[in-house]
Amino acid sequence: MSVIDPRIEARWKAILLDEFKKDYFKELKQFLLQEKRHHIIYPSGKEIFNAFNCTPFEKVKVVILGQDPYHAKGQAHGLSFSVPFGIKPPPSLTNIFKELKADLDIPIAESGNLTSWAKQGVLLLNATLTVRAKQAGSHQNKGWENFTDAVISSLSENKEALIFLLWGRFAQNKTSLIDSEKHHILTAAHPSPFSAYSGFFGCKHFSKTNEILNKNGLETIDWKLQ
């Protein structure tokens, strides 16, 4: 089997090197190669590790955890909740923008591309990094969760005073991977239309994040999309 050498930012690669060598990751790679022979996979291969490349390890200040990439054509580009320029924001992202407007009076953006957040230190991490076209959840339990759990654990162990925004039950189940003595954990309902009114709207996570960063002497996040 060929050596696994992913296109991922150098510090991340060094930290995650042991994961790439494990049997589960080798099996995951074989699964993805097989999938690509028969199906369309999102995001594109060069964008699978986009979250890591946009937010180098040393720059991470905030983590927003999603579950799956979007599975419709053109939507997924490797950043949780984000879509490329020119793609209509999906409902969950629209609700994120509504909360931003209510919280910080930031006008609702036409673009759903969150790259500017990522470049400021917001790691937009999905638990599963790939998906088969039009089949939500199709790449769950294939190994990605082992990898992204290791990412969360590495951040918890090697960084200080990170802010984890955990929206919905799935994200909140990752709390056990985070040292709450070292880091800040903010929880709310998921921004999906099915749950946004059950505690996402009104959570004020964006202003709370900046209050924590400011208190810690760190540069705050400009949540207005560039």
Side-chain angles (χ1 to χ4, degrees):
M1 188 181 296
S2 60
V3 174
I4 296 176
D5 186 25
R7 290 172 283 186
I8 187 170
E9 186 265 336
R11 181 83 166 97
W12 276 117
K13 181 181 281 190
I15 285 172
L16 298 169
L17 188 61
D18 286 346
E19 297 302 312
F20 296 128
K21 295 178 179 178
K22 290 181 179 178
D23 287 343
Y24 84 81
F25 203 93
K26 295 174 183 176
E27 292 167 6
L28 172 61
K29 181 181 179 181
Q30 291 306 305
F31 165 75
L32 292 174
L33 290 172
Q34 184 69 15
E35 281 281 282
K36 288 178 182 179
R37 291 189 186 103
H38 303 286
H39 305 284
I40 296 171
I41 303 302
Y42 300 133
S44 66
K46 66 181 180 181
E47 292 180 318
I48 290 174
F49 295 108
N50 199 21
F52 304 91
N53 293 329
C54 286
T55 315
F57 184 84
E58 302 301 340
K59 288 192 172 184
V60 178
K61 297 190 287 189
V62 182
V63 181
I64 298 179
L65 186 65
Q67 188 164 0
D68 265 15
Y70 296 122
H71 56 87
K73 183 178 180 180
Q75 289 184 324
H77 68 139
L79 304 177
S80 65
F81 294 104
S82 180
V83 292
F85 290 117
I87 300 295
K88 180 182 178 182
S92 291
L93 184 53
T94 298
N95 285 339
I96 289 171
F97 291 159
K98 288 178 180 178
E99 176 59 21
L100 262 175
K101 177 70 169 68
D103 185 9
L104 291 170
D105 200 28
I106 291 175
I108 292 178
E110 293 183 13
S111 167
N113 191 324
L114 307 182
T115 300
S116 65
W117 293 4
K119 289 185 175 180
Q120 294 177 77
V122 181
L123 182 66
L124 298 167
L125 179 68
N126 278 318
T128 302
L129 299 189
T130 56
V131 69
R132 186 188 296 180
K134 301 180 182 179
Q135 294 192 34
S138 49
H139 287 185
Q140 291 179 5
N141 302 315
K142 302 297 183 182
W144 278 129
E145 294 89 346
N146 301 58
F147 178 75
T148 53
D149 281 0
V151 170
I152 296 168
S153 296
S154 294
L155 286 167
S156 177
E157 183 176 343
N158 295 299
K159 303 279 285 186
E160 299 288 337
L162 295 179
I163 304 164
F164 290 85
L165 306 186
L166 305 182
W167 299 335
R169 186 175 300 171
F170 175 85
Q172 289 159 24
N173 284 341
K174 304 296 183 179
T175 302
S176 61
L177 302 171
I178 304 164
D179 184 345
S180 59
E181 299 293 319
K182 292 172 60 180
H183 304 289
H184 306 272
I185 301 173
L186 302 182
T187 62
H190 194 277
S192 158
F194 300 106
S195 54
Y197 286 96
S198 300
F200 179 76
F201 290 138
C203 71
K204 299 186 181 296
H205 278 186
F206 305 101
S207 61
K208 289 177 180 177
T209 293
N210 278 349
E211 287 169 8
I212 294 168
L213 291 171
N214 189 53
K215 185 178 179 181
N216 290 337
L218 298 171
E219 189 173 351
T220 57
I221 305 298
D222 180 0
W223 297 107
K224 185 176 180 180
L225 294 181
Q226 307 303 312

